[in-house]
Amino acid sequence: MTLLSCRGLRKEFGGHVVLDRLDFDVAEHEVVALIGASGSGKSTLLRCVNLLEEIDDGTIHLDGEHITDPRVNPDKVRQRIGIVFQAYNLFPHMTVLENIVLAPTRVHKVPRATAVATAREWLARVGLADKAGEYPDRLSGGQQQRVAIVRALVNSPRLLLLDEVTSALDPELVGEVLSMIRDLKSEGVTMVLATHEMGFARQVADRVCFLDGGRVLEQGPPETVFAEPAEPRTRQFLSRIIEAGRL
Amino acid sequence: MTLSPAQQDRLAYRRRQTLLSVLVAALSTLVLGVLLVVAVTGAPGWARVRESFLDASVARESLPDVLRGLWLNIRLLFFCAIGALALGLVVALLRTLRGPVFFPVRLLATGYTYTFRGLPLIIVLYVMTLGVPGLRLQGMPSTLVLGGIALVITYSGYLAEVFRAGIESVHPSQLAAARSLGLTYRQTMRHVVLPQAVRRVAPPLLNDTVALQKDVGLVSLAGPIDAVRAAQIHTAETFNYTPYIVAGVLFVLLAIPLIAITDWVTLRAARRQS
Ligand SMILES: Nc1ncnc2c1ncn2[C@@H]1O[C@H](COP(=O)(O)OP(=O)(O)OP(=O)(O)O)[C@@H](O)[C@H]1O
Ligand SMILES: [Mg+2]
């Protein structure tokens, strides 16, 4: 079943066209990796899907509902989509636990005791049970990123968007975040992740989409796209990545 | 655990240095104090000055009235500080609203901060306490309340700007993170932006409150008797300025806790930054 469907998306920033009649679909339980050069619009696409950016043309449907209809309340849509940013963006004035229960208690009106119990369960699962009372600035980058992912997950989003969640981390810390994402995949969480880690995209993604010129230029299973890319632009991009030693 | 000789030596050296600097500080303070006392009490006019500024019996006599006046200052400070903080916050929030619908609100709030930061407090005070009662409206509040309103209006103009600076210092990514969790604009402001903003600007907010403490006395220009005005009345009766000193000392005593809190909060904010 199609969970997310973008048709003819267009987004420009002051005349600079970033997304140009882009079509993009995600099926339920699917994990899609967005790859492409820096500035190709991966973050922009994710922000548009989460309605953090207003699109200039096209439509986005989530679960068959037209969410870019101006009459739709964006707050209600965002409640069904989780997004995690490269820079974690935890709230520095709240403890880890408060960060996680904020949306469940305030937005989803879950009783506090229930929200706290769920939060503690998640923290235990990702190995951060003892950090519930800490403030974010006392955690390592990898720990903060896992908290940020948990903060998005406790709202049981239909779709989880991950924007380069490992690129601010030291190589040793990348592993713990990646294994967490692999676990989520095995549970059937639908995810779209923008990434520069081709190895990771290859391991975890069901499908890889190469963004170029404001569109999805090429897509397919990772084995195909990485091993025998059809488009010259994809080949060029991948060979540059290989030179940089990131494949 | 035994320390290495090097560490023991280092600790002993540091102890000696600390002791030495304490001694130097104490000695220099003492010398300076003695010099000051000698200079002032040795001055040719010292006897007359002591008589007219430091007369113990006049001080005792004026103290009850000055204290009564001070009580007015304290009450005014309390209510005006709360009022100005609340109004300042509201004006600041109105200034941050985005979108064309809010243009008039934004314009009004901006005009407010420009006007009342530019306008001298005394003029606002005269207009409120002398001009407004001239309207002879039903249920006109007392001069004291009108004076308090003048203080609130002026100070909220300053405080609004302090709040706004705080709100704008919160990185947009914090807003994006909150909105992406489904929080509404109001929830985002209340739970994410304002707590961080207020923490950051607490020192300047408290500073303005200390300034307000000195300015609340200006309502006496319109009639109500505050500590300074009470001292003035006593001075006029006795031709002795001691009551002013009494009022001054009381003001400083009143300010000390507030200033101490400000310093403490500033220090803590600075530590959190690093
Ligand atoms: N708010 C904005 N205002 C103006 N231009 C923007 C804005 N956000 C993004 N852009 C521009 O849009 C283009 C795409 O940016 P985007 O962040 O989506 O790229 P990306 O594929 O995520 O790149 P990276 O891999 O470096 O994260 C860039 O040229 C960027 O300068
Ligand atoms: Mg990006």
Side-chain angles (χ1 to χ4, degrees), chain A residues 47 50 52 75 78-79 81 83 85 89-94 102-103 106-107 109 151-152 155, chain B residues 173-185 187 190-193 195-196 199-200 272:
Chain A
R47 292 173 63 88
N50 202 26
L52 287 169
D75 292 330
R78 293 194 196 105
Q79 291 172 16
I81 304 176
I83 185 165
F85 305 93
N89 299 349
L90 294 176
F91 306 129
H93 61 296
M94 297 180 179
L102 177 69
R106 301 287 166 184
V107 179
K109 310 291 178 202
R151 183 175 70 175
N155 302 306
Chain B
S173 64
Q174 287 283 309
L175 253 100
R179 297 308 295 274
S180 76
L181 288 169
L183 271 74
T184 62
Y185 182 79
Q187 287 173 324
R190 169 145 173 249
H191 299 293
V192 175
V193 176
Q196 296 184 55
R199 240 160 267 217
R200 251 172 247 179
R272 283 213 119 204

Side-chain angles (χ1 to χ4, degrees), chain A residues 38-39 41-44 46 86 163-164 194 196:
Chain A
S38 191
K42 303 180 293 291
S43 302
T44 304
L46 296 183
Q86 175 177 351
D163 192 0
E164 290 184 38
H196 283 292

